[in-house]
Amino acid sequence: MSDHSEKQDISRRDFLTKSALASVVIAGVGALAGAGAFSKPAVSPGPSRKYKIGEPEEFPVGTAVKMEKENIFLFHDEKGFYSLTAVCTHLGCIVSQSENGFTCPCHGSEFSKDGAVKGGPAPRALPWLKMSLTPDGKLMVDADQEVAPGTKLEV
Amino acid sequence: MGGVEKPALKQFVNNLKSLPSAASEVLLGGGLPKSDRERSQLSFHNFFLHMQSVRVHKHSLRWSYTLGLGIIAAASFVILVVTGVLLMIYYKPSTELAYFSIKDINYVVAGGRIVRNAHRWAAHIMVISVLLHMARVFYTGSYRRPRELNWLIGLALLIITLALSFTGYILPWDQLGYWAATIGANIAQSTREITDVLGITRILDIGGLQKGFLLGADFVGEEALIRFYLLHCVFLPGALVTLLGVHFWRIRKDGGLCRPENIDRPGTPEYQALEPEEFEPGPSKTYGLMALVGGRRPAALTAPENTVMAWPNLLYAEAAVFMLTLAITLLLGYFLDAPLKEMANPMVPENPAKAPWYFLGLQELVSYSAFMGGIGVPTIVLLSLALVPFLDRKGADAGIWFGGTAGRRVFWQSILFGTVVTVGMLVLTIREGWLRTWFPDIPQLVIIILNPGTVLVALYAWWSIFNIKRHDSIRIGAIAMFTVFLVGFILLTYVAAIHRGPNWRFYWLPSQWPPH
C-alpha cells in the first residue's frame, strides 16, 4: 500500500479536489462566455438603409438638400449627383449645412463642402455615399456603402 | 380521548389570547430595549442592526469628520429604490410607449409627478454625496491599510452610481435621453479611433463590440431601450446592493471609521479634542477577543473608553440624516419638475445637446477627442484613484483632514494651480483653437494623444509629483493630485454647463445664443 502510494505523483483526494475545482472554473467561464455570446446581437435588426429618393429630374443642377428622414445630403452639380451622410463621424449627431460646409451641434465639429474635417473633434471626414440608378430610372443612395470622395453619378 | 382534547383547546385559546405579546417577542425580542445591555443584545441578534457595531468611537460621530455624507448617499439610494419601483408600475420600456407612460405618470397618476421628481432629485443628491463622500475619505487619508479594499469597492460604487444615472436618463425616450444614448454608444464605439489608426479594426473591432452590447443593434432603438431598462432596473441596482453590503460590512471589519493614531493616547492633542472623562490607568491588559477583528487592538485599562453605544448615539444620528435627505428630496421634488423634452426625434438633435451635469466635464473633454475624453482620460483618472492606497501606504497622519497644516496649505495651493492651469487651457482652446486649427492636415493620432484634455492631465500629474518631491510626502502628492483633478472637473463642468451654446461654441450667456 505504502509502496504503491509513493509512486503516485498525486493522491486520489488531491486529484478529485482539483478536478472538482477545475469543473467549477470551467462552468463559471463557460457560463460567462455563454451569457456574453447570448447578449451579443446575432442579427442587427433595422430598416434597410438603401434609399430610393426620386427621379433625377426632381433635383436640377445646383440642388443641395438635406433629406431629413434618411439623414443624408444630396447634391447635384455640373459633374453629376453625389451624396454625403449627415451623421457626424465624431459621436453620431446630425450635422447641418453651414456657409462653408457642415457643422455638428453636439461637439462643434466642422466639415468643408466635400466633407473633410476642418475643425473640432471629428476623427474622419464625412463619408460620401454610393449612388446608383434603379432599373426604373430612379436615384438610389446606399447609406451603408462609402465611395471615394469626388465620386459623382452622371445621369 | 375526550380528556386530552379539552386542555389542548384551552391551550389554543390561551395562545390566541397571548398572540400580541408573542408577536412582539419574536419581532422585537420582547419590546423595546430599556438598558444598554438589552440594546446590545438586540443589536447582535437583529440582521439590520448588526450591520454596525454595538459601540462606536466618539471620533467617528463628529459631524466635522464625516459630514454624514456616506449616510446621505445610502439614504438617497433607499429613496431611489422605493420611488423607482413605484415608477416601474406604469413605465413601459418601448420606444412607442415610454414617452407617453412618463407623461401619464406626470399628469394622470395620483402623486406621480412627485414620485418622478423625487426619483430625479434623489439621483442628483446621490451623485453629489457619493462624490463628496469620496473626497472626505480621500482628504482624511482613510483609504490607507487596512481600508484599501473598501476604497476600491467605493470606486466601483461610484462607477455604478454614474452608470445608473446615465441609464436612467435615457428611459423617458425624450430628446435628452435619445441623444444622450446616441452619444454614449458612440463613445463606447470610439475605441475604433485607436484600432483604425493601428489598422486592425477589421480583425478586432472592440469599439463596435462595445456598442453592440450596449445597443443590441447598430442604432438607438427598441433593442437599446430594453437593454438600458434592464441595466437600470435589474443589473446595476443588484450590483450596487451587493457591493454596498460589502462596503458596510468592511467598515466593521476594518475596525470602524479611520481615526488618528493618537486618539486613544492620553496627553496628545487629538485625545484632548475628544474632551475625555477623568481616567486612572490600571494594570496593562488587552482584549484578546478583539484579535478576531482587524485593526489595532485597544489597550484595556490604560486609556479611557472613548466609545459610546451605537444605539442611540449613532442610530439616531443616521435616522436624522435620512429624514433630512428625504425632506430635501420631497421639497425639491414638490417645487422643481424633472425635465421632459419633446419625444425622441432621430432626425433632429438638440442644439446644444447637453449631457446631465455630472457628465458635462466629460462632454467638454469629448469635444476635444472622443476616445481620449470619453474613455482615455476617465480610465487614467479611475486607475490613479485605485492605485492611491497602494502608492501612499504609511504615515501617522491617517484620520486627520489633509494630514495636517502642510497638507492643508497644499490643498489651497492646488486649488490655485488647478484653476490657473485649467482656465488658461480653456482660454487658449476657446480663443485660439487647437492643433487642427493651425495644421488642418494633422493626423488624427496626434490629436488623440495631444489635446487640451491630455495636456491638462499631464500638467496635473506633474503638479502632484512636484509636490511629492517638494514636501517629501506621498500623502501630500496625493492631496495635490486629487485637488487639481477636482478643480478641473468642476471648471470643465461649469464651462460646459453655462458657456457652451449651439454647435458647442463659447458664449458668455445663454441669452447671446443665436436663434435657431
mmCIF file with all atom_site columns, all heavy atoms in Angstrom, chain B residues 306-322:
data_model
loop_
_atom_site.group_PDB
_atom_site.id
_atom_site.type_symbol
_atom_site.label_atom_id
_atom_site.label_alt_id
_atom_site.label_comp_id
_atom_site.label_asym_id
_atom_site.label_entity_id
_atom_site.label_seq_id
_atom_site.pdbx_PDB_ins_code
_atom_site.Cartn_x
_atom_site.Cartn_y
_atom_site.Cartn_z
_atom_site.occupancy
_atom_site.B_iso_or_equiv
_atom_site.pdbx_formal_charge
_atom_site.auth_seq_id
_atom_site.auth_comp_id
_atom_site.auth_asym_id
_atom_site.auth_atom_id
_atom_site.pdbx_PDB_model_num
ATOM 1   N N   . ASN B 1 306 ? -13.232 55.392 24.963 1.00 0.00 ? 306 ASN B N   1
ATOM 2   C CA  . ASN B 1 306 ? -13.710 56.532 24.182 1.00 0.00 ? 306 ASN B CA  1
ATOM 3   C C   . ASN B 1 306 ? -14.832 56.147 23.234 1.00 0.00 ? 306 ASN B C   1
ATOM 4   O O   . ASN B 1 306 ? -15.094 56.845 22.271 1.00 0.00 ? 306 ASN B O   1
ATOM 5   C CB  . ASN B 1 306 ? -12.554 57.153 23.395 1.00 0.00 ? 306 ASN B CB  1
ATOM 6   C CG  . ASN B 1 306 ? -11.868 58.218 24.203 1.00 0.00 ? 306 ASN B CG  1
ATOM 7   O OD1 . ASN B 1 306 ? -12.507 58.855 25.048 1.00 0.00 ? 306 ASN B OD1 1
ATOM 8   N ND2 . ASN B 1 306 ? -10.592 58.402 23.975 1.00 0.00 ? 306 ASN B ND2 1
ATOM 9   N N   . THR B 1 307 ? -15.439 54.987 23.488 1.00 0.00 ? 307 THR B N   1
ATOM 10  C CA  . THR B 1 307 ? -16.554 54.597 22.638 1.00 0.00 ? 307 THR B CA  1
ATOM 11  C C   . THR B 1 307 ? -17.859 54.808 23.393 1.00 0.00 ? 307 THR B C   1
ATOM 12  O O   . THR B 1 307 ? -17.887 54.819 24.616 1.00 0.00 ? 307 THR B O   1
ATOM 13  C CB  . THR B 1 307 ? -16.458 53.121 22.240 1.00 0.00 ? 307 THR B CB  1
ATOM 14  O OG1 . THR B 1 307 ? -16.462 52.328 23.426 1.00 0.00 ? 307 THR B OG1 1
ATOM 15  C CG2 . THR B 1 307 ? -15.202 52.848 21.466 1.00 0.00 ? 307 THR B CG2 1
ATOM 16  N N   . VAL B 1 308 ? -18.927 54.985 22.599 1.00 0.00 ? 308 VAL B N   1
ATOM 17  C CA  . VAL B 1 308 ? -20.253 55.124 23.199 1.00 0.00 ? 308 VAL B CA  1
ATOM 18  C C   . VAL B 1 308 ? -21.181 54.128 22.512 1.00 0.00 ? 308 VAL B C   1
ATOM 19  O O   . VAL B 1 308 ? -20.837 53.563 21.469 1.00 0.00 ? 308 VAL B O   1
ATOM 20  C CB  . VAL B 1 308 ? -20.802 56.551 23.020 1.00 0.00 ? 308 VAL B CB  1
ATOM 21  C CG1 . VAL B 1 308 ? -20.029 57.526 23.883 1.00 0.00 ? 308 VAL B CG1 1
ATOM 22  C CG2 . VAL B 1 308 ? -20.768 56.961 21.568 1.00 0.00 ? 308 VAL B CG2 1
ATOM 23  N N   . MET B 1 309 ? -22.349 53.922 23.077 1.00 0.00 ? 309 MET B N   1
ATOM 24  C CA  . MET B 1 309 ? -23.304 52.982 22.490 1.00 0.00 ? 309 MET B CA  1
ATOM 25  C C   . MET B 1 309 ? -23.745 53.487 21.115 1.00 0.00 ? 309 MET B C   1
ATOM 26  O O   . MET B 1 309 ? -24.104 54.658 20.949 1.00 0.00 ? 309 MET B O   1
ATOM 27  C CB  . MET B 1 309 ? -24.536 52.844 23.394 1.00 0.00 ? 309 MET B CB  1
ATOM 28  C CG  . MET B 1 309 ? -24.296 52.061 24.670 1.00 0.00 ? 309 MET B CG  1
ATOM 29  S SD  . MET B 1 309 ? -23.887 50.333 24.354 1.00 0.00 ? 309 MET B SD  1
ATOM 30  C CE  . MET B 1 309 ? -25.431 49.695 23.712 1.00 0.00 ? 309 MET B CE  1
ATOM 31  N N   . ALA B 1 310 ? -23.728 52.573 20.108 1.00 0.00 ? 310 ALA B N   1
ATOM 32  C CA  . ALA B 1 310 ? -24.179 52.968 18.777 1.00 0.00 ? 310 ALA B CA  1
ATOM 33  C C   . ALA B 1 310 ? -25.675 53.288 18.789 1.00 0.00 ? 310 ALA B C   1
ATOM 34  O O   . ALA B 1 310 ? -26.161 54.108 18.017 1.00 0.00 ? 310 ALA B O   1
ATOM 35  C CB  . ALA B 1 310 ? -23.896 51.853 17.778 1.00 0.00 ? 310 ALA B CB  1
ATOM 36  N N   . TRP B 1 311 ? -26.380 52.590 19.667 1.00 0.00 ? 311 TRP B N   1
ATOM 37  C CA  . TRP B 1 311 ? -27.791 52.893 19.864 1.00 0.00 ? 311 TRP B CA  1
ATOM 38  C C   . TRP B 1 311 ? -27.918 53.552 21.209 1.00 0.00 ? 311 TRP B C   1
ATOM 39  O O   . TRP B 1 311 ? -27.638 52.897 22.209 1.00 0.00 ? 311 TRP B O   1
ATOM 40  C CB  . TRP B 1 311 ? -28.590 51.581 19.804 1.00 0.00 ? 311 TRP B CB  1
ATOM 41  C CG  . TRP B 1 311 ? -30.074 51.737 19.894 1.00 0.00 ? 311 TRP B CG  1
ATOM 42  C CD1 . TRP B 1 311 ? -30.792 52.870 20.159 1.00 0.00 ? 311 TRP B CD1 1
ATOM 43  C CD2 . TRP B 1 311 ? -31.044 50.701 19.726 1.00 0.00 ? 311 TRP B CD2 1
ATOM 44  N NE1 . TRP B 1 311 ? -32.136 52.617 20.160 1.00 0.00 ? 311 TRP B NE1 1
ATOM 45  C CE2 . TRP B 1 311 ? -32.312 51.284 19.895 1.00 0.00 ? 311 TRP B CE2 1
ATOM 46  C CE3 . TRP B 1 311 ? -30.960 49.334 19.440 1.00 0.00 ? 311 TRP B CE3 1
ATOM 47  C CZ2 . TRP B 1 311 ? -33.501 50.547 19.800 1.00 0.00 ? 311 TRP B CZ2 1
ATOM 48  C CZ3 . TRP B 1 311 ? -32.140 48.610 19.355 1.00 0.00 ? 311 TRP B CZ3 1
ATOM 49  C CH2 . TRP B 1 311 ? -33.401 49.216 19.519 1.00 0.00 ? 311 TRP B CH2 1
ATOM 50  N N   . PRO B 1 312 ? -28.239 54.768 21.406 1.00 0.00 ? 312 PRO B N   1
ATOM 51  C CA  . PRO B 1 312 ? -28.870 55.649 20.438 1.00 0.00 ? 312 PRO B CA  1
ATOM 52  C C   . PRO B 1 312 ? -27.910 56.574 19.675 1.00 0.00 ? 312 PRO B C   1
ATOM 53  O O   . PRO B 1 312 ? -28.331 57.189 18.707 1.00 0.00 ? 312 PRO B O   1
ATOM 54  C CB  . PRO B 1 312 ? -29.746 56.509 21.337 1.00 0.00 ? 312 PRO B CB  1
ATOM 55  C CG  . PRO B 1 312 ? -28.964 56.648 22.589 1.00 0.00 ? 312 PRO B CG  1
ATOM 56  C CD  . PRO B 1 312 ? -28.189 55.370 22.737 1.00 0.00 ? 312 PRO B CD  1
ATOM 57  N N   . ASN B 1 313 ? -26.635 56.723 20.091 1.00 0.00 ? 313 ASN B N   1
ATOM 58  C CA  . ASN B 1 313 ? -25.823 57.831 19.569 1.00 0.00 ? 313 ASN B CA  1
ATOM 59  C C   . ASN B 1 313 ? -25.706 57.848 18.042 1.00 0.00 ? 313 ASN B C   1
ATOM 60  O O   . ASN B 1 313 ? -25.922 58.868 17.406 1.00 0.00 ? 313 ASN B O   1
ATOM 61  C CB  . ASN B 1 313 ? -24.430 57.769 20.192 1.00 0.00 ? 313 ASN B CB  1
ATOM 62  C CG  . ASN B 1 313 ? -24.483 57.965 21.690 1.00 0.00 ? 313 ASN B CG  1
ATOM 63  O OD1 . ASN B 1 313 ? -24.767 59.051 22.159 1.00 0.00 ? 313 ASN B OD1 1
ATOM 64  N ND2 . ASN B 1 313 ? -24.263 56.898 22.441 1.00 0.00 ? 313 ASN B ND2 1
ATOM 65  N N   . LEU B 1 314 ? -25.351 56.706 17.452 1.00 0.00 ? 314 LEU B N   1
ATOM 66  C CA  . LEU B 1 314 ? -25.165 56.670 16.002 1.00 0.00 ? 314 LEU B CA  1
ATOM 67  C C   . LEU B 1 314 ? -26.497 56.471 15.280 1.00 0.00 ? 314 LEU B C   1
ATOM 68  O O   . LEU B 1 314 ? -26.794 57.135 14.283 1.00 0.00 ? 314 LEU B O   1
ATOM 69  C CB  . LEU B 1 314 ? -24.194 55.537 15.641 1.00 0.00 ? 314 LEU B CB  1
ATOM 70  C CG  . LEU B 1 314 ? -23.976 55.288 14.156 1.00 0.00 ? 314 LEU B CG  1
ATOM 71  C CD1 . LEU B 1 314 ? -23.417 56.537 13.489 1.00 0.00 ? 314 LEU B CD1 1
ATOM 72  C CD2 . LEU B 1 314 ? -23.009 54.139 13.937 1.00 0.00 ? 314 LEU B CD2 1
ATOM 73  N N   . LEU B 1 315 ? -27.323 55.568 15.833 1.00 0.00 ? 315 LEU B N   1
ATOM 74  C CA  . LEU B 1 315 ? -28.565 55.206 15.162 1.00 0.00 ? 315 LEU B CA  1
ATOM 75  C C   . LEU B 1 315 ? -29.469 56.421 14.964 1.00 0.00 ? 315 LEU B C   1
ATOM 76  O O   . LEU B 1 315 ? -30.033 56.636 13.884 1.00 0.00 ? 315 LEU B O   1
ATOM 77  C CB  . LEU B 1 315 ? -29.286 54.135 16.003 1.00 0.00 ? 315 LEU B CB  1
ATOM 78  C CG  . LEU B 1 315 ? -30.254 53.254 15.264 1.00 0.00 ? 315 LEU B CG  1
ATOM 79  C CD1 . LEU B 1 315 ? -29.535 52.462 14.198 1.00 0.00 ? 315 LEU B CD1 1
ATOM 80  C CD2 . LEU B 1 315 ? -30.954 52.307 16.234 1.00 0.00 ? 315 LEU B CD2 1
ATOM 81  N N   . TYR B 1 316 ? -29.574 57.235 16.014 1.00 0.00 ? 316 TYR B N   1
ATOM 82  C CA  . TYR B 1 316 ? -30.461 58.397 15.912 1.00 0.00 ? 316 TYR B CA  1
ATOM 83  C C   . TYR B 1 316 ? -29.884 59.439 14.960 1.00 0.00 ? 316 TYR B C   1
ATOM 84  O O   . TYR B 1 316 ? -30.620 60.109 14.235 1.00 0.00 ? 316 TYR B O   1
ATOM 85  C CB  . TYR B 1 316 ? -30.695 59.001 17.303 1.00 0.00 ? 316 TYR B CB  1
ATOM 86  C CG  . TYR B 1 316 ? -31.616 58.163 18.181 1.00 0.00 ? 316 TYR B CG  1
ATOM 87  C CD1 . TYR B 1 316 ? -31.906 56.850 17.853 1.00 0.00 ? 316 TYR B CD1 1
ATOM 88  C CD2 . TYR B 1 316 ? -32.200 58.685 19.332 1.00 0.00 ? 316 TYR B CD2 1
ATOM 89  C CE1 . TYR B 1 316 ? -32.737 56.070 18.635 1.00 0.00 ? 316 TYR B CE1 1
ATOM 90  C CE2 . TYR B 1 316 ? -33.042 57.920 20.129 1.00 0.00 ? 316 TYR B CE2 1
ATOM 91  C CZ  . TYR B 1 316 ? -33.296 56.607 19.780 1.00 0.00 ? 316 TYR B CZ  1
ATOM 92  O OH  . TYR B 1 316 ? -34.122 55.852 20.558 1.00 0.00 ? 316 TYR B OH  1
ATOM 93  N N   . ALA B 1 317 ? -28.551 59.557 14.951 1.00 0.00 ? 317 ALA B N   1
ATOM 94  C CA  . ALA B 1 317 ? -27.932 60.494 14.013 1.00 0.00 ? 317 ALA B CA  1
ATOM 95  C C   . ALA B 1 317 ? -28.198 60.049 12.579 1.00 0.00 ? 317 ALA B C   1
ATOM 96  O O   . ALA B 1 317 ? -28.528 60.857 11.707 1.00 0.00 ? 317 ALA B O   1
ATOM 97  C CB  . ALA B 1 317 ? -26.430 60.577 14.276 1.00 0.00 ? 317 ALA B CB  1
ATOM 98  N N   . GLU B 1 318 ? -28.095 58.739 12.346 1.00 0.00 ? 318 GLU B N   1
ATOM 99  C CA  . GLU B 1 318 ? -28.363 58.222 10.993 1.00 0.00 ? 318 GLU B CA  1
ATOM 100 C C   . GLU B 1 318 ? -29.810 58.455 10.598 1.00 0.00 ? 318 GLU B C   1
ATOM 101 O O   . GLU B 1 318 ? -30.112 58.862 9.471  1.00 0.00 ? 318 GLU B O   1
ATOM 102 C CB  . GLU B 1 318 ? -28.042 56.722 10.945 1.00 0.00 ? 318 GLU B CB  1
ATOM 103 C CG  . GLU B 1 318 ? -26.555 56.431 10.962 1.00 0.00 ? 318 GLU B CG  1
ATOM 104 C CD  . GLU B 1 318 ? -26.239 54.959 11.114 1.00 0.00 ? 318 GLU B CD  1
ATOM 105 O OE1 . GLU B 1 318 ? -27.100 54.199 11.593 1.00 0.00 ? 318 GLU B OE1 1
ATOM 106 O OE2 . GLU B 1 318 ? -25.124 54.569 10.766 1.00 0.00 ? 318 GLU B OE2 1
ATOM 107 N N   . ALA B 1 319 ? -30.721 58.193 11.557 1.00 0.00 ? 319 ALA B N   1
ATOM 108 C CA  . ALA B 1 319 ? -32.142 58.405 11.271 1.00 0.00 ? 319 ALA B CA  1
ATOM 109 C C   . ALA B 1 319 ? -32.391 59.869 10.940 1.00 0.00 ? 319 ALA B C   1
ATOM 110 O O   . ALA B 1 319 ? -33.143 60.199 10.019 1.00 0.00 ? 319 ALA B O   1
ATOM 111 C CB  . ALA B 1 319 ? -32.986 57.963 12.459 1.00 0.00 ? 319 ALA B CB  1
ATOM 112 N N   . ALA B 1 320 ? -31.711 60.775 11.664 1.00 0.00 ? 320 ALA B N   1
ATOM 113 C CA  . ALA B 1 320 ? -31.905 62.205 11.419 1.00 0.00 ? 320 ALA B CA  1
ATOM 114 C C   . ALA B 1 320 ? -31.408 62.571 10.027 1.00 0.00 ? 320 ALA B C   1
ATOM 115 O O   . ALA B 1 320 ? -32.076 63.302 9.289  1.00 0.00 ? 320 ALA B O   1
ATOM 116 C CB  . ALA B 1 320 ? -31.156 63.009 12.482 1.00 0.00 ? 320 ALA B CB  1
ATOM 117 N N   . VAL B 1 321 ? -30.245 62.035 9.627  1.00 0.00 ? 321 VAL B N   1
ATOM 118 C CA  . VAL B 1 321 ? -29.710 62.335 8.293  1.00 0.00 ? 321 VAL B CA  1
ATOM 119 C C   . VAL B 1 321 ? -30.661 61.796 7.223  1.00 0.00 ? 321 VAL B C   1
ATOM 120 O O   . VAL B 1 321 ? -30.928 62.451 6.217  1.00 0.00 ? 321 VAL B O   1
ATOM 121 C CB  . VAL B 1 321 ? -28.297 61.732 8.127  1.00 0.00 ? 321 VAL B CB  1
ATOM 122 C CG1 . VAL B 1 321 ? -27.828 61.863 6.694  1.00 0.00 ? 321 VAL B CG1 1
ATOM 123 C CG2 . VAL B 1 321 ? -27.331 62.417 9.054  1.00 0.00 ? 321 VAL B CG2 1
ATOM 124 N N   . PHE B 1 322 ? -31.176 60.587 7.458  1.00 0.00 ? 322 PHE B N   1
ATOM 125 C CA  . PHE B 1 322 ? -32.110 60.013 6.489  1.00 0.00 ? 322 PHE B CA  1
ATOM 126 C C   . PHE B 1 322 ? -33.335 60.910 6.337  1.00 0.00 ? 322 PHE B C   1
ATOM 127 O O   . PHE B 1 322 ? -33.759 61.216 5.216  1.00 0.00 ? 322 PHE B O   1
ATOM 128 C CB  . PHE B 1 322 ? -32.534 58.610 6.939  1.00 0.00 ? 322 PHE B CB  1
ATOM 129 C CG  . PHE B 1 322 ? -33.502 57.966 5.992  1.00 0.00 ? 322 PHE B CG  1
ATOM 130 C CD1 . PHE B 1 322 ? -33.045 57.264 4.898  1.00 0.00 ? 322 PHE B CD1 1
ATOM 131 C CD2 . PHE B 1 322 ? -34.868 58.102 6.168  1.00 0.00 ? 322 PHE B CD2 1
ATOM 132 C CE1 . PHE B 1 322 ? -33.926 56.691 4.011  1.00 0.00 ? 322 PHE B CE1 1
ATOM 133 C CE2 . PHE B 1 322 ? -35.762 57.542 5.276  1.00 0.00 ? 322 PHE B CE2 1
ATOM 134 C CZ  . PHE B 1 322 ? -35.279 56.830 4.198  1.00 0.00 ? 322 PHE B CZ  1
#
